Amino acid sequence: MWKFFHKLASPPHFYRLAPRFVLGFGVVGCVLIGWGTYAGLFLAPPDYQQKDAFRIIYVHVPAAYLSMMAYSIMAISAGIGLIWRMKLAHSVAAAAAPLGAWFTFSALVTGAIWGRPMWGTWWEWGDPRVMSELLMLFLYIGYIALRVAIDEIGKADKASAVLALVGAVNIPIIHYSVEWWTSVHQGQTVVGGKMAPEMLQPLLLNILGFTLLFGAMLLYRVRTEVLHRERRSRWVKAEVLQTVGAP
Amino acid sequence: MSTPLQFPRIGSGVFQLMRRDLLLAIKRPGDVINPLFFFAMIAALFPLALGPDIRQLAAIGPGITWVAALLSMLLALNSLFLNDFEDGSLEQLILSPQPLPVMALGKTVVHWLLTGLPLILVSPLVVWSYGLDDAVVTVMLGTLLPGTLSLSLLGSIGAALTVGLQKSSALLSLLVLPLAMPVLIFGARTVSLAVAGDDISAGLYFLWGYCMLALTLAPFATAAALRISNE
């Protein structure tokens, strides 16, 4: 078990192993998303208050959940990279940030589309979750901007890792300080079992599916990142020669 | 018999450093005064843009004062490590046997004395000019004290991360502003609650708690960031 992880941390080994996981996660993820979305749009009954408008949760909730998940992955791997100086961990953090930013953006957009029929407005400044997501997006943008601003890759890794950890300490504080406002957002209904099972099932399928798809995209991006970072190394040259064929 | 090596006592360096920074600031007062004028100007912009209706100004006054304070703290932040970085004394500071988090804390506290404290002293003028009474001024002072201190500490992390970079001031705002949101929310809302005559203890507890957390953790993050950007 430990040997597997130790080997995984070596860039060439990861590079050769990743495609299998990308393919597996990607295929299973897409099947689950297809199934969940079909069930959510056609099989689940309309909500007695929101009618068909509630169906956007099948995209909105997974996106919002993954926006937080991506930040945790980013912060944890940044910490691992900073403490144990593991090169691959920094690649994971670098690859997770743009994905997380996109999921945050999608959560905000789908939330706005949902808000239009429900609250009568595209954008509700007074809602704590809208504000948390918006600040989350700003945190991602700051992280990416810091990475872009530093030319030397080792320095960019460490500086952005410090920022990711400081952000991770602050996220709960930011979350609860915007929660302090009066809320107009729907309360959580997923965990409490207040949701009808035929509505809940597609949501869980989609959450799992989007998570797997995120995993596939993350591994793909990490693989590209590794290839870029190790572009001067011998094993990359050998790998390229093998793929392209000797000149 | 050889005498053991004499190291200066840990922590003795930080007071020397603070004294030096204060002296440098007295010799060059522009760095202290400019953010203050910036603060006053932002406060003057809103009545010009929104019209001089005093009831409207009283309603938005607490928020505007806090935003102006946040922005002028950010403006001043850029200079926290910049001069020391340019003349190389920051590198000496990192190489010295004195504990870097303590030194970073010392520099941040001096920076707060030079930017945060004058701002607190000027803020009653802004609050009065917006037509708010003395009770609100007291609460404003009470929230700005832990608030600006937290902003200086948070900002020192950002300043340390961006110190060697070109065109760092826009980047610095991008890094620090989202982190500073809780301070802004609680600071401005607490003063608004005071205007409405509500209980304000929760906000003050939060601000002081946040300030203590920042005081405990931020110097270590700043020290780590300084080492990274100077390697």
Side-chain angles (χ1 to χ4, degrees), chain B residues 107-122:
Chain B
K107 277 194 83 67
T108 311
V109 168
V110 171
H111 192 259
W112 176 79
L113 285 175
L114 295 169
T115 57
L117 197 59
L119 207 144
I120 294 175
L121 297 177
V122 172

Side-chain angles (χ1 to χ4, degrees), chain B residues 30-44:
Chain B
D31 289 356
V32 180
I33 293 168
N34 288 349
L36 279 182
F37 279 124
F38 185 66
F39 175 67
M41 271 178 212
I42 296 177

Side-chain angles (χ1 to χ4, degrees), chain B residues 31 35 71-86 111 115 152 155-156 158-173 176:
Chain B
D31 289 356
L71 291 180
S72 50
M73 291 293 288
L74 262 184
L75 182 76
L77 211 55
N78 218 11
S79 65
L80 177 49
F81 296 115
L82 193 61
N83 288 336
D84 282 0
F85 176 78
E86 279 172 349
H111 192 259
T115 57
S152 280
S156 72
L161 282 173
T162 54
V163 68
L165 304 175
Q166 290 182 339
K167 294 185 202 135
S168 59
S169 69
L171 181 63
L172 182 59
S173 317
V176 175

